[in-house]
Each structure stands twice: as C-alpha cells, then as structure tokens.
Amino acid sequence: MMINSGWDNRFLEMAELVASWSKDPSTKVGAVIVDEDRRVLSLGYNGFPLGLSDDKRLDNREIKYKMIVHAECNALLFCSEPPVGATIYTYPFMPCPKCAGMIIQTGITRVVSYKSNNERWSEEFALSRNMFKEAGIELLEYEI
C-alpha cells in the first residue's frame, strides 16, 4: 500500500529519525505516539533501561534481546497523557506481540508502520496482526 496520507508520511519519517537515536548496531526501531489532533504525545527508541551500560552487550544478541526495552514500550512509558484514541507510528516494522498487547491495553486505536518481509519475524508479525484485528485496532502497513 502506498502512503496516501501526508500526515502518515510525516510521522513515519519522524519515527525513522527517532530510530536513528538507538545505539543498537543491528536494528534501530523508533515509535511516535500522536493524538487525534496530530500532537506528538511521546517518542521512543529501542535501548537498555536507564542507568544500564550498553558497552559490549549490544553485540551479544542473546543478552541484548533479554534486556532491551522496545521503542513502543519506551514511547508508552514516557507518554505525557493516556494515549486513548491515539495513533502509534513505528519504524522500520510493526510492533511485536508483547508491544501489541501493551498498545491494545493503553487504548491506542491505530497503528501505522511498514510491511516487513523478514522471515525471522514473520510469525511474530502475523500474531501481532491477529491481535490488532481481534481488538479492533486499525493497522496500516505501508510498503517501503
């Protein structure tokens, strides 16, 4: 699907910028939460919890995956107000099932991201899609 909304394009670009702040050498992820009036409520990128050193841990996937806080989770944690009715934009791909659950619980009603063809995550993304569908969350996945 081509991006048909100028606002979707702008906020996906913002999520890409926020993703660039991550120190993760392999996958930089960004999230932007926007209210119904297109005001930015929060930003997040993937990284370790505050106060934890990322020296040498980022290169060890086994440890990194156990410790890292996902971009979506960081955006939700630092949200200035409850994001009920808001939209979350994620880059470079849609949320994993754990983040999808948190997004659903907070009352976000729309998720906008890019479609990923990465085989490694295909089952995870399929589960997230099903979760959003069952919860009545609008999901838009654009082609990169």
Side-chain angles (χ1 to χ4, degrees):
M1 171 187 310
M2 297 280 298
I3 298 177
N4 57 8
S5 163
W7 289 107
D8 282 353
N9 188 52
R10 289 177 182 152
F11 290 122
L12 284 170
E13 286 176 352
M14 183 181 283
E16 182 177 7
L17 172 66
V18 172
S20 73
W21 302 340
S22 172
K23 294 180 183 177
D24 190 327
S26 63
T27 307
K28 297 177 183 297
V29 181
V32 177
I33 300 174
V34 179
D35 73 9
E36 295 164 326
D37 294 320
R38 296 188 295 268
R39 292 179 296 200
V40 174
L41 299 178
S42 188
L43 309 170
Y45 56 89
N46 58 318
F48 288 143
L50 292 174
L52 297 187
S53 172
D54 45 350
D55 293 342
K56 300 179 184 172
R57 291 177 174 159
L58 284 171
D59 294 324
N60 182 329
R61 283 184 181 225
E62 186 176 328
I63 291 173
K64 176 178 73 172
Y65 287 148
K66 291 178 183 177
M67 295 177 62
I68 205 154
V69 179
H70 289 190
E72 301 90 338
C73 184
N74 272 322
L76 291 168
L77 286 168
F78 296 112
C79 205
S80 59
E81 58 189 64
V84 175
T87 297
I88 187 167
Y89 294 86
T90 63
Y91 175 88
F93 41 65
M94 69 180 301
C96 73
K98 284 190 177 189
C99 290
M102 287 188 270
I103 289 166
I104 292 165
Q105 288 294 88
T106 62
I108 287 176
T109 57
R110 188 168 177 260
V111 177
V112 181
S113 192
Y114 290 106
K115 188 169 184 81
S116 174
N117 296 322
N118 186 330
E119 289 288 324
R120 190 168 106 208
W121 301 106
S122 63
E123 288 182 29
E124 301 271 322
F125 294 147
L127 182 54
S128 293
R129 281 185 199 98
N130 289 336
M131 291 172 69
F132 289 138
K133 183 178 181 180
E134 187 174 337
I137 307 291
E138 179 184 4
L139 172 63
L140 295 175
E141 289 182 273
Y142 292 111
E143 298 291 335
I144 290 185

